[in-house]
PDB file of all heavy atoms in Angstrom:
ATOM      1  N   PHE A   1     -67.508 -21.711 -55.148  1.00 88.00           N
ATOM      2  CA  PHE A   1     -68.779 -22.393 -55.351  1.00 88.00           C
ATOM      3  C   PHE A   1     -69.762 -21.455 -56.044  1.00 88.00           C
ATOM      4  O   PHE A   1     -70.431 -21.824 -57.013  1.00 88.00           O
ATOM      5  CB  PHE A   1     -69.352 -22.852 -54.002  1.00 88.00           C
ATOM      6  CG  PHE A   1     -70.631 -23.630 -54.125  1.00 88.00           C
ATOM      7  CD1 PHE A   1     -70.622 -25.016 -54.167  1.00 88.00           C
ATOM      8  CD2 PHE A   1     -71.860 -22.974 -54.183  1.00 88.00           C
ATOM      9  CE1 PHE A   1     -71.811 -25.747 -54.287  1.00 88.00           C
ATOM     10  CE2 PHE A   1     -73.051 -23.678 -54.303  1.00 88.00           C
ATOM     11  CZ  PHE A   1     -73.017 -25.069 -54.356  1.00 88.00           C
ATOM     12  N   TYR A   2     -69.854 -20.227 -55.549  1.00 86.00           N
ATOM     13  CA  TYR A   2     -70.783 -19.244 -56.106  1.00 86.00           C
ATOM     14  C   TYR A   2     -70.424 -18.908 -57.549  1.00 86.00           C
ATOM     15  O   TYR A   2     -71.286 -18.826 -58.410  1.00 86.00           O
ATOM     16  CB  TYR A   2     -70.764 -17.985 -55.245  1.00 86.00           C
ATOM     17  CG  TYR A   2     -71.669 -16.885 -55.743  1.00 86.00           C
ATOM     18  CD1 TYR A   2     -73.018 -16.865 -55.429  1.00 86.00           C
ATOM     19  CD2 TYR A   2     -71.166 -15.863 -56.555  1.00 86.00           C
ATOM     20  CE1 TYR A   2     -73.854 -15.853 -55.890  1.00 86.00           C
ATOM     21  CE2 TYR A   2     -71.986 -14.856 -57.020  1.00 86.00           C
ATOM     22  CZ  TYR A   2     -73.324 -14.849 -56.683  1.00 86.00           C
ATOM     23  OH  TYR A   2     -74.136 -13.847 -57.155  1.00 86.00           O
ATOM     24  N   ARG A   3     -69.133 -18.713 -57.800  1.00 82.00           N
ATOM     25  CA  ARG A   3     -68.710 -18.369 -59.159  1.00 82.00           C
ATOM     26  C   ARG A   3     -68.944 -19.536 -60.128  1.00 82.00           C
ATOM     27  O   ARG A   3     -69.155 -19.322 -61.311  1.00 82.00           O
ATOM     28  CB  ARG A   3     -67.230 -17.994 -59.158  1.00 82.00           C
ATOM     29  CG  ARG A   3     -66.932 -16.670 -58.442  1.00 82.00           C
ATOM     30  CD  ARG A   3     -65.458 -16.330 -58.512  1.00 82.00           C
ATOM     31  NE  ARG A   3     -65.142 -15.149 -57.742  1.00 82.00           N
ATOM     32  CZ  ARG A   3     -65.292 -13.900 -58.176  1.00 82.00           C
ATOM     33  NH1 ARG A   3     -65.767 -13.712 -59.385  1.00 82.00           N
ATOM     34  NH2 ARG A   3     -64.974 -12.883 -57.416  1.00 82.00           N
ATOM     35  N   THR A   4     -68.902 -20.735 -59.608  1.00 87.00           N
ATOM     36  CA  THR A   4     -69.068 -21.912 -60.456  1.00 87.00           C
ATOM     37  C   THR A   4     -70.521 -22.274 -60.692  1.00 87.00           C
ATOM     38  O   THR A   4     -70.935 -22.538 -61.827  1.00 87.00           O
ATOM     39  CB  THR A   4     -68.352 -23.134 -59.834  1.00 87.00           C
ATOM     40  OG1 THR A   4     -66.964 -22.827 -59.647  1.00 87.00           O
ATOM     41  CG2 THR A   4     -68.479 -24.366 -60.719  1.00 87.00           C
ATOM     42  N   TYR A   5     -71.340 -22.267 -59.623  1.00 89.00           N
ATOM     43  CA  TYR A   5     -72.712 -22.751 -59.732  1.00 89.00           C
ATOM     44  C   TYR A   5     -73.782 -21.668 -59.568  1.00 89.00           C
ATOM     45  O   TYR A   5     -74.967 -21.939 -59.764  1.00 89.00           O
ATOM     46  CB  TYR A   5     -72.973 -23.842 -58.679  1.00 89.00           C
ATOM     47  CG  TYR A   5     -71.992 -24.981 -58.736  1.00 89.00           C
ATOM     48  CD1 TYR A   5     -71.081 -25.182 -57.698  1.00 89.00           C
ATOM     49  CD2 TYR A   5     -71.953 -25.857 -59.821  1.00 89.00           C
ATOM     50  CE1 TYR A   5     -70.174 -26.223 -57.733  1.00 89.00           C
ATOM     51  CE2 TYR A   5     -71.046 -26.897 -59.869  1.00 89.00           C
ATOM     52  CZ  TYR A   5     -70.160 -27.079 -58.810  1.00 89.00           C
ATOM     53  OH  TYR A   5     -69.261 -28.110 -58.857  1.00 89.00           O
ATOM     54  N   GLY A   6     -73.363 -20.468 -59.170  1.00 85.00           N
ATOM     55  CA  GLY A   6     -74.335 -19.411 -58.940  1.00 85.00           C
ATOM     56  C   GLY A   6     -74.929 -19.475 -57.539  1.00 85.00           C
ATOM     57  O   GLY A   6     -74.453 -20.204 -56.675  1.00 85.00           O
ATOM     58  N   ALA A   7     -76.005 -18.708 -57.333  1.00 85.00           N
ATOM     59  CA  ALA A   7     -76.562 -18.548 -55.990  1.00 85.00           C
ATOM     60  C   ALA A   7     -77.563 -19.621 -55.594  1.00 85.00           C
ATOM     61  O   ALA A   7     -77.969 -19.701 -54.446  1.00 85.00           O
ATOM     62  CB  ALA A   7     -77.236 -17.172 -55.890  1.00 85.00           C
ATOM     63  N   ARG A   8     -77.960 -20.452 -56.544  1.00 86.00           N
ATOM     64  CA  ARG A   8     -79.066 -21.392 -56.291  1.00 86.00           C
ATOM     65  C   ARG A   8     -78.829 -22.269 -55.064  1.00 86.00           C
ATOM     66  O   ARG A   8     -79.736 -22.468 -54.259  1.00 86.00           O
ATOM     67  CB  ARG A   8     -79.283 -22.261 -57.524  1.00 86.00           C
ATOM     68  CG  ARG A   8     -80.472 -23.201 -57.402  1.00 86.00           C
ATOM     69  CD  ARG A   8     -80.700 -23.969 -58.684  1.00 86.00           C
ATOM     70  NE  ARG A   8     -81.854 -24.853 -58.574  1.00 86.00           N
ATOM     71  CZ  ARG A   8     -82.240 -25.688 -59.524  1.00 86.00           C
ATOM     72  NH1 ARG A   8     -81.582 -25.740 -60.679  1.00 86.00           N
ATOM     73  NH2 ARG A   8     -83.282 -26.467 -59.348  1.00 86.00           N
ATOM     74  N   TYR A   9     -77.625 -22.822 -54.910  1.00 90.00           N
ATOM     75  CA  TYR A   9     -77.356 -23.716 -53.790  1.00 90.00           C
ATOM     76  C   TYR A   9     -76.354 -23.125 -52.786  1.00 90.00           C
ATOM     77  O   TYR A   9     -75.925 -23.802 -51.867  1.00 90.00           O
ATOM     78  CB  TYR A   9     -76.808 -25.043 -54.301  1.00 90.00           C
ATOM     79  CG  TYR A   9     -77.755 -25.799 -55.212  1.00 90.00           C
ATOM     80  CD1 TYR A   9     -77.499 -25.915 -56.578  1.00 90.00           C
ATOM     81  CD2 TYR A   9     -78.922 -26.366 -54.711  1.00 90.00           C
ATOM     82  CE1 TYR A   9     -78.369 -26.601 -57.414  1.00 90.00           C
ATOM     83  CE2 TYR A   9     -79.800 -27.052 -55.537  1.00 90.00           C
ATOM     84  CZ  TYR A   9     -79.528 -27.165 -56.898  1.00 90.00           C
ATOM     85  OH  TYR A   9     -80.396 -27.842 -57.717  1.00 90.00           O
ATOM     86  N   ALA A  10     -76.019 -21.861 -52.977  1.00 90.00           N
ATOM     87  CA  ALA A  10     -75.017 -21.234 -52.103  1.00 90.00           C
ATOM     88  C   ALA A  10     -75.463 -21.215 -50.644  1.00 90.00           C
ATOM     89  O   ALA A  10     -74.637 -21.319 -49.727  1.00 90.00           O
ATOM     90  CB  ALA A  10     -74.710 -19.820 -52.583  1.00 90.00           C
ATOM     91  N   ALA A  11     -76.770 -21.098 -50.415  1.00 92.00           N
ATOM     92  CA  ALA A  11     -77.284 -21.053 -49.044  1.00 92.00           C
ATOM     93  C   ALA A  11     -76.958 -22.342 -48.291  1.00 92.00           C
ATOM     94  O   ALA A  11     -76.721 -22.316 -47.068  1.00 92.00           O
ATOM     95  CB  ALA A  11     -78.786 -20.807 -49.038  1.00 92.00           C
ATOM     96  N   LEU A  12     -76.936 -23.458 -49.004  1.00 93.00           N
ATOM     97  CA  LEU A  12     -76.607 -24.725 -48.356  1.00 93.00           C
ATOM     98  C   LEU A  12     -75.161 -24.717 -47.855  1.00 93.00           C
ATOM     99  O   LEU A  12     -74.870 -25.248 -46.784  1.00 93.00           O
ATOM    100  CB  LEU A  12     -76.809 -25.884 -49.343  1.00 93.00           C
ATOM    101  CG  LEU A  12     -78.245 -26.146 -49.801  1.00 93.00           C
ATOM    102  CD1 LEU A  12     -78.263 -27.272 -50.848  1.00 93.00           C
ATOM    103  CD2 LEU A  12     -79.122 -26.498 -48.617  1.00 93.00           C
ATOM    104  N   VAL A  13     -74.282 -24.116 -48.628  1.00 93.00           N
ATOM    105  CA  VAL A  13     -72.885 -24.004 -48.221  1.00 93.00           C
ATOM    106  C   VAL A  13     -72.765 -23.135 -46.977  1.00 93.00           C
ATOM    107  O   VAL A  13     -72.050 -23.463 -46.026  1.00 93.00           O
ATOM    108  CB  VAL A  13     -72.025 -23.423 -49.359  1.00 93.00           C
ATOM    109  CG1 VAL A  13     -70.567 -23.312 -48.929  1.00 93.00           C
ATOM    110  CG2 VAL A  13     -72.129 -24.302 -50.603  1.00 93.00           C
ATOM    111  N   VAL A  14     -73.479 -22.020 -46.983  1.00 93.00           N
ATOM    112  CA  VAL A  14     -73.450 -21.099 -45.843  1.00 93.00           C
ATOM    113  C   VAL A  14     -73.958 -21.782 -44.582  1.00 93.00           C
ATOM    114  O   VAL A  14     -73.340 -21.694 -43.521  1.00 93.00           O
ATOM    115  CB  VAL A  14     -74.291 -19.838 -46.143  1.00 93.00           C
ATOM    116  CG1 VAL A  14     -74.388 -18.959 -44.900  1.00 93.00           C
ATOM    117  CG2 VAL A  14     -73.686 -19.060 -47.300  1.00 93.00           C
ATOM    118  N   VAL A  15     -75.088 -22.477 -44.702  1.00 94.00           N
ATOM    119  CA  VAL A  15     -75.682 -23.157 -43.544  1.00 94.00           C
ATOM    120  C   VAL A  15     -74.728 -24.220 -42.993  1.00 94.00           C
ATOM    121  O   VAL A  15     -74.542 -24.332 -41.776  1.00 94.00           O
ATOM    122  CB  VAL A  15     -77.030 -23.794 -43.927  1.00 94.00           C
ATOM    123  CG1 VAL A  15     -77.525 -24.715 -42.804  1.00 94.00           C
ATOM    124  CG2 VAL A  15     -78.065 -22.710 -44.201  1.00 94.00           C
ATOM    125  N   CYS A  16     -74.114 -24.983 -43.873  1.00 94.00           N
ATOM    126  CA  CYS A  16     -73.207 -26.041 -43.443  1.00 94.00           C
ATOM    127  C   CYS A  16     -71.980 -25.469 -42.754  1.00 94.00           C
ATOM    128  O   CYS A  16     -71.620 -25.874 -41.643  1.00 94.00           O
ATOM    129  CB  CYS A  16     -72.793 -26.894 -44.628  1.00 94.00           C
ATOM    130  SG  CYS A  16     -71.653 -28.246 -44.209  1.00 94.00           S
ATOM    131  N   ASP A  17     -71.314 -24.491 -43.394  1.00 94.00           N
ATOM    132  CA  ASP A  17     -70.061 -23.968 -42.867  1.00 94.00           C
ATOM    133  C   ASP A  17     -70.254 -23.147 -41.599  1.00 94.00           C
ATOM    134  O   ASP A  17     -69.426 -23.194 -40.672  1.00 94.00           O
ATOM    135  CB  ASP A  17     -69.338 -23.142 -43.926  1.00 94.00           C
ATOM    136  CG  ASP A  17     -68.733 -24.011 -45.021  1.00 94.00           C
ATOM    137  OD1 ASP A  17     -68.643 -25.235 -44.810  1.00 94.00           O
ATOM    138  OD2 ASP A  17     -68.363 -23.477 -46.080  1.00 94.00           O
ATOM    139  N   MET A  18     -71.334 -22.393 -41.533  1.00 96.00           N
ATOM    140  CA  MET A  18     -71.599 -21.627 -40.313  1.00 96.00           C
ATOM    141  C   MET A  18     -72.192 -22.518 -39.228  1.00 96.00           C
ATOM    142  O   MET A  18     -71.914 -22.334 -38.044  1.00 96.00           O
ATOM    143  CB  MET A  18     -72.541 -20.457 -40.620  1.00 96.00           C
ATOM    144  CG  MET A  18     -71.934 -19.428 -41.576  1.00 96.00           C
ATOM    145  SD  MET A  18     -72.903 -17.922 -41.789  1.00 96.00           S
ATOM    146  CE  MET A  18     -72.451 -17.022 -40.305  1.00 96.00           C
ATOM    147  N   GLY A  19     -72.978 -23.508 -39.651  1.00 96.00           N
ATOM    148  CA  GLY A  19     -73.595 -24.423 -38.685  1.00 96.00           C
ATOM    149  C   GLY A  19     -72.572 -25.277 -37.948  1.00 96.00           C
ATOM    150  O   GLY A  19     -72.655 -25.475 -36.737  1.00 96.00           O
ATOM    151  N   LYS A  20     -71.599 -25.795 -38.688  1.00 97.00           N
ATOM    152  CA  LYS A  20     -70.583 -26.643 -38.062  1.00 97.00           C
ATOM    153  C   LYS A  20     -69.755 -25.829 -37.057  1.00 97.00           C
ATOM    154  O   LYS A  20     -69.371 -26.341 -36.003  1.00 97.00           O
ATOM    155  CB  LYS A  20     -69.661 -27.266 -39.114  1.00 97.00           C
ATOM    156  CG  LYS A  20     -68.734 -26.273 -39.799  1.00 97.00           C
ATOM    157  CD  LYS A  20     -67.948 -26.889 -40.924  1.00 97.00           C
ATOM    158  CE  LYS A  20     -66.985 -25.893 -41.571  1.00 97.00           C
ATOM    159  NZ  LYS A  20     -66.319 -26.454 -42.760  1.00 97.00           N
ATOM    160  N   THR A  21     -69.486 -24.562 -37.411  1.00 97.00           N
ATOM    161  CA  THR A  21     -68.722 -23.713 -36.495  1.00 97.00           C
ATOM    162  C   THR A  21     -69.552 -23.374 -35.261  1.00 97.00           C
ATOM    163  O   THR A  21     -69.029 -23.366 -34.146  1.00 97.00           O
ATOM    164  CB  THR A  21     -68.300 -22.414 -37.196  1.00 97.00           C
ATOM    165  OG1 THR A  21     -67.590 -22.735 -38.384  1.00 97.00           O
ATOM    166  CG2 THR A  21     -67.397 -21.587 -36.296  1.00 97.00           C
ATOM    167  N   ALA A  22     -70.830 -23.113 -35.457  1.00 98.00           N
ATOM    168  CA  ALA A  22     -71.708 -22.842 -34.329  1.00 98.00           C
ATOM    169  C   ALA A  22     -71.725 -24.024 -33.360  1.00 98.00           C
ATOM    170  O   ALA A  22     -71.648 -23.853 -32.132  1.00 98.00           O
ATOM    171  CB  ALA A  22     -73.121 -22.536 -34.824  1.00 98.00           C
ATOM    172  N   ALA A  23     -71.818 -25.227 -33.911  1.00 98.00           N
ATOM    173  CA  ALA A  23     -71.815 -26.430 -33.067  1.00 98.00           C
ATOM    174  C   ALA A  23     -70.512 -26.544 -32.291  1.00 98.00           C
ATOM    175  O   ALA A  23     -70.505 -26.815 -31.086  1.00 98.00           O
ATOM    176  CB  ALA A  23     -72.024 -27.667 -33.937  1.00 98.00           C
ATOM    177  N   ALA A  24     -69.386 -26.326 -32.986  1.00 98.00           N
ATOM    178  CA  ALA A  24     -68.079 -26.436 -32.320  1.00 98.00           C
ATOM    179  C   ALA A  24     -67.923 -25.398 -31.224  1.00 98.00           C
ATOM    180  O   ALA A  24     -67.441 -25.703 -30.122  1.00 98.00           O
ATOM    181  CB  ALA A  24     -66.963 -26.271 -33.368  1.00 98.00           C
ATOM    182  N   VAL A  25     -68.329 -24.168 -31.504  1.00 98.00           N
ATOM    183  CA  VAL A  25     -68.194 -23.083 -30.521  1.00 98.00           C
ATOM    184  C   VAL A  25     -69.087 -23.334 -29.322  1.00 98.00           C
ATOM    185  O   VAL A  25     -68.645 -23.173 -28.156  1.00 98.00           O
ATOM    186  CB  VAL A  25     -68.553 -21.728 -31.186  1.00 98.00           C
ATOM    187  CG1 VAL A  25     -68.660 -20.628 -30.127  1.00 98.00           C
ATOM    188  CG2 VAL A  25     -67.495 -21.357 -32.213  1.00 98.00           C
ATOM    189  N   LEU A  26     -70.327 -23.707 -29.546  1.00 98.00           N
ATOM    190  CA  LEU A  26     -71.264 -23.929 -28.435  1.00 98.00           C
ATOM    191  C   LEU A  26     -70.870 -25.123 -27.580  1.00 98.00           C
ATOM    192  O   LEU A  26     -70.947 -25.066 -26.342  1.00 98.00           O
ATOM    193  CB  LEU A  26     -72.678 -24.116 -28.989  1.00 98.00           C
ATOM    194  CG  LEU A  26     -73.295 -22.869 -29.640  1.00 98.00           C
ATOM    195  CD1 LEU A  26     -74.641 -23.217 -30.283  1.00 98.00           C
ATOM    196  CD2 LEU A  26     -73.467 -21.756 -28.613  1.00 98.00           C
ATOM    197  N   ILE A  27     -70.434 -26.194 -28.227  1.00 97.00           N
ATOM    198  CA  ILE A  27     -70.003 -27.368 -27.467  1.00 97.00           C
ATOM    199  C   ILE A  27     -68.776 -27.031 -26.623  1.00 97.00           C
ATOM    200  O   ILE A  27     -68.709 -27.340 -25.428  1.00 97.00           O
ATOM    201  CB  ILE A  27     -69.708 -28.554 -28.405  1.00 97.00           C
ATOM    202  CG1 ILE A  27     -71.004 -29.061 -29.045  1.00 97.00           C
ATOM    203  CG2 ILE A  27     -69.020 -29.690 -27.641  1.00 97.00           C
ATOM    204  CD1 ILE A  27     -70.792 -30.097 -30.133  1.00 97.00           C
ATOM    205  N   GLY A  28     -67.779 -26.391 -27.243  1.00 98.00           N
ATOM    206  CA  GLY A  28     -66.578 -26.008 -26.504  1.00 98.00           C
ATOM    207  C   GLY A  28     -66.891 -25.053 -25.370  1.00 98.00           C
ATOM    208  O   GLY A  28     -66.375 -25.193 -24.252  1.00 98.00           O
ATOM    209  N   GLY A  29     -67.758 -24.073 -25.653  1.00 98.00           N
ATOM    210  CA  GLY A  29     -68.122 -23.115 -24.621  1.00 98.00           C
ATOM    211  C   GLY A  29     -68.815 -23.758 -23.440  1.00 98.00           C
ATOM    212  O   GLY A  29     -68.506 -23.467 -22.285  1.00 98.00           O
ATOM    213  N   HIS A  30     -69.750 -24.659 -23.711  1.00 98.00           N
ATOM    214  CA  HIS A  30     -70.489 -25.311 -22.629  1.00 98.00           C
ATOM    215  C   HIS A  30     -69.600 -26.259 -21.814  1.00 98.00           C
ATOM    216  O   HIS A  30     -69.735 -26.358 -20.590  1.00 98.00           O
ATOM    217  CB  HIS A  30     -71.699 -26.065 -23.192  1.00 98.00           C
ATOM    218  CG  HIS A  30     -72.812 -25.163 -23.598  1.00 98.00           C
ATOM    219  ND1 HIS A  30     -73.389 -24.240 -22.753  1.00 98.00           N
ATOM    220  CD2 HIS A  30     -73.474 -25.021 -24.786  1.00 98.00           C
ATOM    221  CE1 HIS A  30     -74.356 -23.590 -23.374  1.00 98.00           C
ATOM    222  NE2 HIS A  30     -74.410 -24.039 -24.620  1.00 98.00           N
ATOM    223  N   ILE A  31     -68.689 -26.950 -22.472  1.00 98.00           N
ATOM    224  CA  ILE A  31     -67.788 -27.847 -21.747  1.00 98.00           C
ATOM    225  C   ILE A  31     -66.888 -27.040 -20.812  1.00 98.00           C
ATOM    226  O   ILE A  31     -66.736 -27.389 -19.621  1.00 98.00           O
ATOM    227  CB  ILE A  31     -66.913 -28.661 -22.737  1.00 98.00           C
ATOM    228  CG1 ILE A  31     -67.777 -29.705 -23.450  1.00 98.00           C
ATOM    229  CG2 ILE A  31     -65.755 -29.349 -22.005  1.00 98.00           C
ATOM    230  CD1 ILE A  31     -67.033 -30.488 -24.520  1.00 98.00           C
ATOM    231  N   PHE A  32     -66.307 -25.966 -21.297  1.00 98.00           N
ATOM    232  CA  PHE A  32     -65.428 -25.159 -20.462  1.00 98.00           C
ATOM    233  C   PHE A  32     -66.197 -24.386 -19.399  1.00 98.00           C
ATOM    234  O   PHE A  32     -65.679 -24.123 -18.305  1.00 98.00           O
ATOM    235  CB  PHE A  32     -64.609 -24.187 -21.328  1.00 98.00           C
ATOM    236  CG  PHE A  32     -63.275 -24.739 -21.723  1.00 98.00           C
ATOM    237  CD1 PHE A  32     -63.186 -25.753 -22.659  1.00 98.00           C
ATOM    238  CD2 PHE A  32     -62.107 -24.259 -21.144  1.00 98.00           C
ATOM    239  CE1 PHE A  32     -61.948 -26.283 -23.029  1.00 98.00           C
ATOM    240  CE2 PHE A  32     -60.873 -24.780 -21.499  1.00 98.00           C
ATOM    241  CZ  PHE A  32     -60.787 -25.794 -22.436  1.00 98.00           C
ATOM    242  N   SER A  33     -67.432 -24.035 -19.714  1.00 97.00           N
ATOM    243  CA  SER A  33     -68.262 -23.358 -18.712  1.00 97.00           C
ATOM    244  C   SER A  33     -68.581 -24.291 -17.560  1.00 97.00           C
ATOM    245  O   SER A  33     -68.527 -23.899 -16.379  1.00 97.00           O
ATOM    246  CB  SER A  33     -69.565 -22.877 -19.362  1.00 97.00           C
ATOM    247  OG  SER A  33     -70.412 -22.250 -18.427  1.00 97.00           O
ATOM    248  N   ALA A  34     -68.898 -25.548 -17.873  1.00 97.00           N
ATOM    249  CA  ALA A  34     -69.247 -26.528 -16.847  1.00 97.00           C
ATOM    250  C   ALA A  34     -68.039 -26.939 -16.002  1.00 97.00           C
ATOM    251  O   ALA A  34     -68.148 -27.108 -14.787  1.00 97.00           O
ATOM    252  CB  ALA A  34     -69.873 -27.758 -17.494  1.00 97.00           C
ATOM    253  N   LEU A  35     -66.879 -27.094 -16.648  1.00 97.00           N
ATOM    254  CA  LEU A  35     -65.705 -27.596 -15.934  1.00 97.00           C
ATOM    255  C   LEU A  35     -64.825 -26.510 -15.337  1.00 97.00           C
ATOM    256  O   LEU A  35     -64.232 -26.698 -14.270  1.00 97.00           O
ATOM    257  CB  LEU A  35     -64.852 -28.454 -16.884  1.00 97.00           C
ATOM    258  CG  LEU A  35     -65.505 -29.727 -17.434  1.00 97.00           C
ATOM    259  CD1 LEU A  35     -64.563 -30.454 -18.386  1.00 97.00           C
ATOM    260  CD2 LEU A  35     -65.914 -30.653 -16.284  1.00 97.00           C
ATOM    261  N   PHE A  36     -64.744 -25.355 -16.006  1.00 96.00           N
ATOM    262  CA  PHE A  36     -63.797 -24.321 -15.566  1.00 96.00           C
ATOM    263  C   PHE A  36     -64.416 -22.930 -15.449  1.00 96.00           C
ATOM    264  O   PHE A  36     -63.703 -21.957 -15.213  1.00 96.00           O
ATOM    265  CB  PHE A  36     -62.615 -24.260 -16.546  1.00 96.00           C
ATOM    266  CG  PHE A  36     -62.009 -25.592 -16.845  1.00 96.00           C
ATOM    267  CD1 PHE A  36     -62.174 -26.179 -18.101  1.00 96.00           C
ATOM    268  CD2 PHE A  36     -61.299 -26.298 -15.879  1.00 96.00           C
ATOM    269  CE1 PHE A  36     -61.627 -27.424 -18.388  1.00 96.00           C
ATOM    270  CE2 PHE A  36     -60.750 -27.543 -16.161  1.00 96.00           C
ATOM    271  CZ  PHE A  36     -60.910 -28.105 -17.419  1.00 96.00           C
ATOM    272  N   SER A  37     -65.730 -22.848 -15.609  1.00 97.00           N
ATOM    273  CA  SER A  37     -66.441 -21.566 -15.525  1.00 97.00           C
ATOM    274  C   SER A  37     -65.862 -20.520 -16.486  1.00 97.00           C
ATOM    275  O   SER A  37     -65.719 -19.343 -16.157  1.00 97.00           O
ATOM    276  CB  SER A  37     -66.401 -21.023 -14.091  1.00 97.00           C
ATOM    277  OG  SER A  37     -67.013 -21.913 -13.196  1.00 97.00           O
ATOM    278  N   ASP A  38     -65.517 -20.961 -17.686  1.00 97.00           N
ATOM    279  CA  ASP A  38     -64.940 -20.044 -18.669  1.00 97.00           C
ATOM    280  C   ASP A  38     -65.494 -20.372 -20.046  1.00 97.00           C
ATOM    281  O   ASP A  38     -64.864 -21.064 -20.849  1.00 97.00           O
ATOM    282  CB  ASP A  38     -63.405 -20.148 -18.667  1.00 97.00           C
ATOM    283  CG  ASP A  38     -62.731 -19.001 -19.392  1.00 97.00           C
ATOM    284  OD1 ASP A  38     -63.398 -18.357 -20.226  1.00 97.00           O
ATOM    285  OD2 ASP A  38     -61.545 -18.743 -19.130  1.00 97.00           O
ATOM    286  N   TRP A  39     -66.681 -19.858 -20.345  1.00 98.00           N
ATOM    287  CA  TRP A  39     -67.333 -20.134 -21.620  1.00 98.00           C
ATOM    288  C   TRP A  39     -66.530 -19.587 -22.780  1.00 98.00           C
ATOM    289  O   TRP A  39     -66.385 -20.249 -23.821  1.00 98.00           O
ATOM    290  CB  TRP A  39     -68.732 -19.518 -21.626  1.00 98.00           C
ATOM    291  CG  TRP A  39     -69.558 -19.921 -22.820  1.00 98.00           C
ATOM    292  CD1 TRP A  39     -70.408 -20.988 -22.894  1.00 98.00           C
ATOM    293  CD2 TRP A  39     -69.581 -19.289 -24.113  1.00 98.00           C
ATOM    294  NE1 TRP A  39     -70.973 -21.046 -24.157  1.00 98.00           N
ATOM    295  CE2 TRP A  39     -70.487 -20.028 -24.910  1.00 98.00           C
ATOM    296  CE3 TRP A  39     -68.934 -18.185 -24.658  1.00 98.00           C
ATOM    297  CZ2 TRP A  39     -70.756 -19.680 -26.238  1.00 98.00           C
ATOM    298  CZ3 TRP A  39     -69.202 -17.841 -25.983  1.00 98.00           C
ATOM    299  CH2 TRP A  39     -70.095 -18.585 -26.756  1.00 98.00           C
ATOM    300  N   THR A  40     -66.000 -18.404 -22.627  1.00 97.00           N
ATOM    301  CA  THR A  40     -65.296 -17.741 -23.728  1.00 97.00           C
ATOM    302  C   THR A  40     -64.058 -18.518 -24.174  1.00 97.00           C
ATOM    303  O   THR A  40     -63.796 -18.662 -25.375  1.00 97.00           O
ATOM    304  CB  THR A  40     -64.877 -16.317 -23.328  1.00 97.00           C
ATOM    305  OG1 THR A  40     -66.053 -15.563 -22.971  1.00 97.00           O
ATOM    306  CG2 THR A  40     -64.169 -15.607 -24.469  1.00 97.00           C
TER     307      THR A  40
END
């Protein structure tokens, strides 16, 4: 993406890809913490 379009919109890609992972990690961690006391 960066090599094709440059840095102008690269931040949007970073926010999306890191944001979706953050959501997945936090949701999984909280579910396991609540049910099995194992956030990690």
Side-chain angles (χ1 to χ4, degrees):
F1 183 95
Y2 179 84
R3 291 182 185 277
T4 302
Y5 306 112
R8 184 176 181 184
Y9 299 109
L12 295 177
V13 180
V14 174
V15 170
C16 180
D17 287 346
M18 296 188 79
K20 70 186 182 186
T21 305
V25 170
L26 293 174
I27 292 172
H30 285 305
I31 289 176
F32 267 72
S33 178
L35 297 179
F36 311 109
S37 300
D38 195 339
W39 188 92
T40 301

